[in-house]
Amino acid sequence: MKKISLISLCFLASVAFAEDGTKVIHKTSASDGDSSILIETTKNPKNKVDFEILTGDEEIAGDPTAGTKEAHASWKEACKEWKKELKENNKDGQVLVSSCGTASFTKDESAGAGSGIYVYKSNAKYKIKVRIKDK
């Protein structure tokens, strides 16, 4: 009697401490009512990742324009367009972060010194969640 209860106790303890890697692989049923199940267990299972987070940065620049206000407005439009393209190009994934950063201006001297042509530029950063495993 003690052997049976000790075996039962060991079985219950092993079930209680079963790994999370136990899964049913195949289940079949016959027409006469018999069925069978194939169970696979793995030692130290690892979670399989379905998504990956990608980060990156790009330079955003407005069009060279006369006057600082117009140049800043051109940079804002370029920023808005960049965010729109980022979302359109990543419809399957999720855009977690999209920041155009802080714009700084420089004088564009290609048209000659004192031409009053300015360009606003910034370093934009993004973070995207991308599916790497098919459903």
Side-chain angles (χ1 to χ4, degrees):
M1 188 77 156
K2 286 188 179 184
K3 285 185 179 181
I4 294 174
S5 63
L6 183 58
I7 293 171
S8 299
L9 182 62
C10 289
F11 174 73
L12 290 174
S14 67
V15 169
F17 294 110
E19 298 287 330
D20 288 335
T22 304
K23 63 180 177 178
V24 174
I25 293 179
H26 184 67
K27 181 178 179 181
T28 59
S29 297
S31 60
D32 60 356
D34 290 339
S35 62
S36 63
I37 299 174
L38 176 61
I39 299 176
E40 177 185 78
T41 59
T42 56
K43 198 170 194 177
N44 298 326
K46 294 186 174 140
N47 292 337
K48 295 178 180 166
V49 181
D50 292 341
F51 294 95
E52 183 177 353
I53 306 282
L54 301 176
T55 59
D57 55 359
E58 290 183 32
E59 183 179 82
I60 296 178
D63 294 329
T65 311
T68 57
K69 287 184 182 180
E70 293 82 5
H72 193 264
S74 174
W75 172 82
K76 280 187 174 181
E77 188 61 34
C79 174
K80 190 186 303 183
E81 186 66 28
W82 175 77
K83 285 183 177 184
K84 181 181 172 186
E85 286 179 13
L86 189 65
K87 286 182 182 179
E88 287 175 357
N89 292 335
N90 295 291
K91 288 186 179 192
D92 294 338
Q94 274 184 311
V95 177
L96 302 175
V97 175
S98 63
S99 171
C100 291
T102 305
S104 60
F105 75 92
T106 58
K107 287 186 180 182
D108 186 6
E109 301 293 339
S110 64
S115 63
I117 304 291
Y118 296 94
V119 177
Y120 274 84
K121 295 180 182 179
S122 68
N123 190 20
K125 296 185 185 295
Y126 62 88
K127 191 179 284 191
I128 302 169
K129 183 178 178 181
V130 179
R131 179 177 291 280
I132 59 173
K133 182 179 174 185
D134 291 334
K135 291 181 182 179

